[in-house]
Amino acid sequence: MAIGGPSQNSDAVLVVRPPLTDEDLNELFSASWPGHRSTSFAPMLARSLVWIAASREGRLVGFVNVVGDGGLHAFILDTTVHPDERRQGLGVRLVRAAADEAKACGAQWLHVDYEPHLESFYAQCGFRPTAAGLMRL
């Protein structure tokens, strides 16, 4: 299902739960994340509550994944925008669309972990900082 139309400053189309190939996702993640190793995304998507993809002219240029606890909590993961598409509002559009979809799926709380340099980005998306704990396993 496509979400809205292109915005004034972007003709990227957002789609909820589109079929995505490993090739498309690995290409996006390799361009966006140094050191990314090709992987199969099917197991991840099978456990997802929802995901949103952004494409422009048939090319995957953005992605965000939402997982849930089966109840009130959902978690944003893997917010990714192709380097050529950054700083144009696409990431904010993706995260806000993911929030809307998570709410439609019954989530009442949406969580995200991020590095300090991304705090202003996630604030633009509507998040507020909270205290949390993290354990590396």
Side-chain angles (χ1 to χ4, degrees):
M1 169 179 69
I3 300 173
S7 69
Q8 292 178 350
N9 61 358
S10 173
D11 60 353
V13 176
L14 274 54
V15 180
V16 178
R17 290 189 186 117
L20 296 171
T21 67
D22 288 341
E23 181 180 348
D24 290 337
L25 284 164
N26 280 308
E27 182 179 322
L28 173 63
F29 276 58
S30 292
S32 303
W33 303 107
H36 170 76
R37 295 181 184 176
S38 290
T39 187
S40 172
F41 287 88
M44 175 189 73
L45 296 178
R47 293 187 302 271
S48 297
L49 181 64
V50 67
W51 62 90
I52 312 291
S55 60
R56 179 188 311 278
E57 299 174 5
R59 179 175 155 234
L60 183 66
V61 295
F63 174 81
V64 65
N65 188 25
V66 180
V67 296
D69 69 350
L72 303 179
H73 296 267
F75 304 83
I76 292 279
L77 298 171
D78 301 322
T79 304
T80 304
V81 174
H82 192 282
D84 296 342
E85 303 283 332
R86 291 182 183 160
R87 307 217 183 282
Q88 299 175 48
L90 180 57
V92 172
R93 286 179 60 209
L94 280 164
V95 172
R96 287 182 179 166
D100 290 344
E101 291 298 319
K103 183 177 181 179
C105 290
Q108 293 183 15
W109 295 98
L110 187 60
H111 304 258
V112 67
D113 292 326
Y114 52 82
E115 295 176 355
H117 70 277
L118 293 171
E119 185 170 351
S120 65
F121 167 76
Y122 282 105
Q124 288 176 24
C125 296
F127 287 91
R128 61 178 173 77
T130 63
L134 178 66
M135 177 189 298
R136 183 175 184 143
L137 303 176

